[in-house]
Amino acid sequence: MVWAEDQAPERISKMDSALRIKRNSFFSFLSSFVRLFTNFLLFVGIARIYGPEAFGQYTIAHTYLILFYIFADFGFDLLLTTEIARSPDCTSELVQRFLPLKMIFALGSIVLMTLIAAISNFSPPTQLLMMVLSISIIGNSVTSFFFALFKGHEILFEETRTSFFQNIFLLIGLFILGLLHVPLIYIALLFACSKLIGVILIVPRTSKIAKLDTFKISFTGWRKTFKQGLPFGIHLLFGTLYFQLDTILLAYWKDDISVGFYQPGMKLIVLILVIPDVLISALLPTLVRLHSENRERWIRLNTLLGKTLMFIGLPFSVSLFVYADEIIRLVYGSGNFIESIPILRIFAFILFIRFASETFALILTTSKQQTIRMYIVVAVTFMNFLLNAYAIPKYGIQGAALVSLITNAVAGILYIIAVSVKSFGPIFLFGIRQILVTGITIIMVISFIALGIHSLVLGLIIMMISYVLIVYFIGYSIEDRSLLFAFKKII
């Protein structure tokens, strides 16, 4: 009886942790989905109303904005989350150390983006869009920093709340401006305003945790802070760059309309990639903690996460490949983006690679091997540039898409090799069950094509029902299924 009483707090703690992960997964999904779906609607609206050339102009400006968001972040958000997860009592001190540097990088990003727009050979509409969108960097930097603070305490509701109101404002504004068919520059202004609203919503909510009522700016130990954030920042910057570099190079070596035909498929991929982002965001603090506390549970959770992501990514990839024509026509209109169909089919393979390899990259981060991950993304970014220098001038948008496929495949292989070399244990995610599920799915797709099932709706319904049964009974073992339905056992 004494033993049971002694164990009760531990059981309660496990249950609380499991519940917290489930809640955080839900809130993280809502935050990411609302944000990405709103952006997706924004781009679809621009494509349908303004056409491929204007779509390309806005996409070029937005691609640069994403890169400068990353430069403004420079890994401080992820570093803040991991440091708070390890030492939650030091939250106020960590915020005082990291926030000043974050603001310096944010202001520097605004200046650099504006300067690039001014001296580039882009079309005047693209230059103006870049300058206006750069205003949103300061708002995004502040909100993302405090989102990271809450993530470190495994509280994701505040990000969901703020993102919801930000994007409701943006959606309502888009609807009104779309009806008025205003010049595209007003859409960019609306987007920038939505980011500034996030600051107003999130900052007051941090006072209880970060004690901002007594907050003082401190540059003490800034060199140490910068050195800590350097691997995260370089990885984040180059990790985004090698996925976006093709768009930037197309803008320089081709034209706005080439980007306009290239990006529709990319926007669909980015929307779907919210799924691994959500799971990783929700599990990151727990995985960091388990790596220090319980290596066996850390391995079990990584293994199950890797298998699950692979199973989730496979049907999306197959659907995008088989029904690329129908999907492009449905989303972007019947005839304006025909050139985007073969690009989407190539991106379908990239999507599967990203789902299958993301866990290996996460293992490096949570095991304090972020520097290795940094080296990998820097290397593949340079490889991407060199291959694109040959492929884009000669093969255009299809060459850029193939280079992106090669780059992502090489990055995934290098992550797997790095994890294996570091001997992190039996984290072998491509076992017989994964091979069987993949093989059966390919046979099912070939059967669909042979039987002439070309209806998007009918094909997806049959495929999803069949696939869920295949994954449940073949993909997961009995132990896997018990862990999925009793998640507290993992942690």
Side-chain angles (χ1 to χ4, degrees), residues 18 57 92 95 122 148 153 267 343 371 401 458 462:
Q57 292 166 356
S92 182
V95 170
F122 295 146
H153 287 278
K267 297 306 176 190
I343 305 303
T371 303
L458 178 61
I462 297 174

Side-chain angles (χ1 to χ4, degrees), residues 310-311 314 430-444 467 470-471 473-475:
M310 183 177 176
F311 289 154
L314 183 58
F430 304 115
I432 186 64
R433 291 182 179 275
Q434 291 92 318
I435 295 172
L436 283 173
V437 169
T438 304
I440 294 171
T441 303
I442 292 173
I443 293 172
M444 183 169 60
Y467 186 77
I470 292 169
V471 168
F473 290 106
I474 298 177

Side-chain angles (χ1 to χ4, degrees), residues 4 10 14 36 52 64 92 151 163 248 264 318 400 412 447:
E10 181 181 352
K14 289 180 180 179
L36 288 175
Y64 271 95
S92 182
K151 285 178 185 177
S163 295
I248 295 173
V318 169
S447 301

Side-chain angles (χ1 to χ4, degrees), residues 239-240 242-243 269 273 276-277 309 349-359 408 411:
T240 303
Y242 89 80
F243 196 56
I269 298 299
L273 285 174
D277 286 347
L309 286 178
F349 290 98
I350 296 175
L351 183 68
F352 178 72
I353 291 170
R354 297 281 292 213
F355 269 86
S357 63
E358 195 62 43
T359 304
N408 279 274

Side-chain angles (χ1 to χ4, degrees), residues 340-482:
S340 303
I341 294 171
I343 305 303
L344 181 58
R345 289 201 167 101
I346 297 172
F347 285 162
F349 290 98
I350 296 175
L351 183 68
F352 178 72
I353 291 170
R354 297 281 292 213
F355 269 86
S357 63
E358 195 62 43
T359 304
F360 292 98
L362 181 63
I363 289 170
L364 295 175
T365 296
T366 58
S367 60
K368 300 182 181 181
Q369 300 294 328
Q370 184 71 15
T371 303
I372 296 176
R373 193 173 176 181
M374 176 191 74
Y375 288 142
I376 290 173
V377 296
V378 171
V380 296
T381 300
F382 282 108
M383 183 187 74
N384 183 284
F385 176 82
L386 293 174
L387 291 176
N388 269 317
Y390 168 78
I392 290 178
K394 190 168 184 177
Y395 299 106
I397 59 175
Q398 292 198 25
L402 288 171
V403 169
S404 185
L405 174 60
I406 294 169
T407 302
N408 279 274
V410 170
I413 291 169
L414 291 176
Y415 287 141
I416 294 170
I417 292 172
V419 169
S420 301
V421 168
K422 286 295 179 179
S423 302
F424 285 119
I427 309 174
F428 188 63
L429 307 183
F430 304 115
I432 186 64
R433 291 182 179 275
Q434 291 92 318
I435 295 172
L436 283 173
V437 169
T438 304
I440 294 171
T441 303
I442 292 173
I443 293 172
M444 183 169 60
V445 171
I446 294 173
S447 301
F448 278 22
I449 297 173
L451 293 172
I453 302 177
H454 300 298
S455 169
L456 174 63
V457 176
L458 178 61
L460 289 181
I461 291 174
I462 297 174
M463 185 184 299
M464 288 301 106
I465 294 174
S466 304
Y467 186 77
V468 168
L469 295 174
I470 292 169
V471 168
Y472 184 81
F473 290 106
I474 298 177
Y476 289 115
S477 65
I478 295 175
E479 182 183 4
D480 290 335
R481 293 198 293 269
S482 67

Side-chain angles (χ1 to χ4, degrees), residues 94-141:
L94 291 168
V95 170
Q96 291 183 34
R97 282 176 51 201
F98 292 174
L99 186 56
L101 286 178
K102 181 72 183 285
M103 291 301 96
I104 290 173
F105 273 83
L107 293 173
S109 297
I110 295 174
V111 173
L112 286 174
M113 184 169 173
T114 303
L115 183 62
I116 288 175
I119 66 175
S120 70
N121 61 349
F122 295 146
S123 63
T126 302
Q127 292 176 319
L128 185 57
L129 286 168
M130 288 178 65
M131 292 178 184
V132 172
L133 286 177
S134 69
I135 300 170
S136 69
I137 292 175
I138 191 69
N140 187 78
S141 296

